[in-house]
């Protein structure tokens, strides 16, 4: 018996430091409405969609660091997105920095169902970068400093008529991420990412950024017989060009839709 769900890859433009949560949520609502008008039932937003990619900066003041995190989801600033999605009867995946009640910091994503309820939460396992200031690097990437690895590992849930899992950015480069979901019968993997064009630890890979992005997601889809929807932040964010290249990949490994920026 065929089942159908229409999923949108809502690639987001850059989010700068001065943009407030309210500014960004307004943009997300705009994308959500656009996707809904095209028939989408589930809209996938990128990793850390509510703020700029703050792990590019070295910070020592925990109070300043915590300002980048959400203490509740939805909170007062994100509730309008949940309300509008429920009104339109559209679900979504949203990446954000999560600060739990008991003080844990995670790079997280939630899957929100068509009634505006959180159906599943995923906490990023593969945190790239380093945890100390390394001034010789052209760009810092300090995810290990600001986040703990997700303790629950890779998990799936039943939603939108199928079995859905989430991954976040660097997770997509590792075969076990998809395989762990595949062994749980996953049918749709939603992935948000922030990938700079320049990768300072391996500058010779810069020309391969788009190729590697699609290579890993297409392989993950084909090898596990699952749909994969990968969604980027694109453009120049705080002077850092991002690769974009969001795409929707069939279980055959073929890209059936892709952003050309
Ligand atoms: N946000 C990320 O996880 N970005 C990494 C970069 C640093 C290589 C990625 O795998 O795209």
């Amino acid at each position: 018996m065929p089942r159908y769900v229409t999923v949108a890859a809502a690639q987001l433009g850059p989010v700068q430091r001065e943009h407030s949560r309210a500014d960004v949520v307004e943009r997300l609502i705009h994308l959500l409405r656009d996707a809904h008008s095209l028939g989408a039932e589930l809209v996938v937003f990128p990793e850390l969609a509510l703020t700029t990619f703050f792990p590019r900066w070295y910070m020592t003041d925990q109070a300043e660091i915590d300002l980048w995190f959400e203490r509740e989801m939805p909170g007062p600033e994100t509730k309008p997105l949940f309300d509008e999605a429920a009104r339109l009867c559209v679900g979504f995946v949203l990446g954000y920095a999560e600060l739990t009640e008991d003080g844990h910091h995670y790079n997280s994503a939630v899957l929100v169902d068509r009634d505006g309820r959180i159906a599943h939460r995923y906490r990023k396992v593969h945190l790239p970068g380093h945890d100390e200031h390394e001034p010789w690097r052209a760009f810092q990437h300090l995810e290990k400093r600001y986040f703990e690895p997700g303790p629950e590992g890779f998990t799936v849930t039943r939603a939108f008529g199928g079995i859905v899992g989430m991954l976040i950015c660097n997770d997509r480069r590792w075969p076990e991420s998809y395989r762990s979901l595949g062994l749980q019968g996953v049918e749709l993997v939603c992935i948000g990412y922030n990938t700079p064009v320049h990768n300072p630890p391996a500058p010779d890979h810069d020309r391969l950024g788009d190729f590697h992005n699609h290579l890993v997601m297409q392989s993950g889809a084909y090898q596990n017989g699952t749909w994969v929807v990968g969604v980027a932040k694109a453009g120049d964010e705080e002077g850092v060009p991002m690769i974009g290249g969001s795409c929707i990949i069939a279980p055959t490994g073929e890209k059936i839709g892709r952003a050309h920026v």
Side-chain angles (χ1 to χ4, degrees):
M1 181 81 171
R3 289 158 297 144
Y4 298 96
V5 60
T6 306
V7 184
Q11 181 163 295
L12 184 62
V15 177
Q16 312 300 356
R17 189 173 199 137
E18 76 268 16
H19 293 159
S20 69
R21 302 284 204 287
D23 292 335
V24 180
V25 165
E26 200 178 311
R27 285 166 57 189
L28 298 179
I29 289 174
H30 188 82
L31 289 170
L32 190 87
R33 289 185 182 140
D34 260 12
H36 172 256
S37 71
L38 295 167
E41 299 160 87
L42 173 61
V43 180
V44 183
F45 294 117
E47 174 191 36
L48 297 179
L50 297 169
T51 63
T52 196
F53 189 80
F54 67 87
R56 68 170 66 91
W57 294 309
Y58 179 74
M59 293 171 275
T60 53
D61 175 359
Q62 194 58 46
E64 181 198 349
I65 294 165
D66 286 352
L67 291 175
W68 297 105
F69 284 76
E70 313 304 312
R71 289 169 188 270
E72 44 183 346
M73 186 54 66
E77 286 144 324
T78 39
K79 192 154 182 314
L81 175 65
F82 280 68
D83 290 347
E84 182 62 359
R87 189 184 75 78
L88 297 172
C89 199
V90 178
F92 62 91
V93 171
L94 179 71
Y96 68 104
E98 178 192 8
L99 174 52
T100 66
E101 268 177 30
D102 53 351
H104 291 285
H105 295 76
Y106 299 115
N107 186 343
S108 300
V110 282
L111 172 68
V112 177
D113 69 17
R114 300 178 78 179
D115 300 325
R117 281 190 299 255
I118 293 178
H120 200 52
R121 176 178 281 105
Y122 170 67
R123 292 165 172 152
K124 184 174 181 177
V125 170
H126 295 103
L127 299 173
H130 42 104
D131 57 3
E132 286 305 324
H133 188 41
E134 295 180 350
W136 59 90
R137 290 183 189 274
F139 295 104
Q140 304 285 314
H141 191 105
L142 291 146
E143 283 194 61
K144 286 187 174 64
R145 179 175 183 80
Y146 301 126
F147 303 113
E148 297 156 65
E152 295 98 2
F154 305 102
T155 54
V156 299
T157 194
R158 284 194 175 274
F160 297 90
I163 302 178
V164 184
M166 291 176 279
L167 300 174
I168 300 179
C169 199
N170 196 260
D171 289 322
R172 77 193 187 287
R173 303 191 188 275
W174 303 87
E176 77 276 8
S177 311
Y178 303 92
R179 193 72 197 126
S180 303
L181 297 175
L183 291 171
Q184 298 169 73
V186 80
E187 296 172 295
L188 169 64
V189 181
C190 302
I191 307 175
Y193 59 91
N194 280 277
T195 299
V197 170
H198 307 297
N199 182 23
D204 43 327
H205 286 190
D206 286 359
R207 70 185 173 86
L208 299 170
D210 292 326
F211 168 65
H212 285 159
N213 179 39
H214 291 151
L215 176 72
V216 288
M217 293 194 288
Q218 290 180 260
S219 308
Y222 172 58
Q223 291 170 344
N224 294 283
T226 181
W227 290 85
V228 170
V229 178
V231 183
K233 252 197 247 150
D236 190 312
E237 192 177 88
E238 294 291 336
V240 178
M242 316 287 278
I243 64 169
S246 301
C247 59
I248 297 179
I249 301 161
T252 56
E254 292 166 289
K255 287 179 273 189
I256 61 152
R258 65 159 298 188
H260 287 278
V261 287

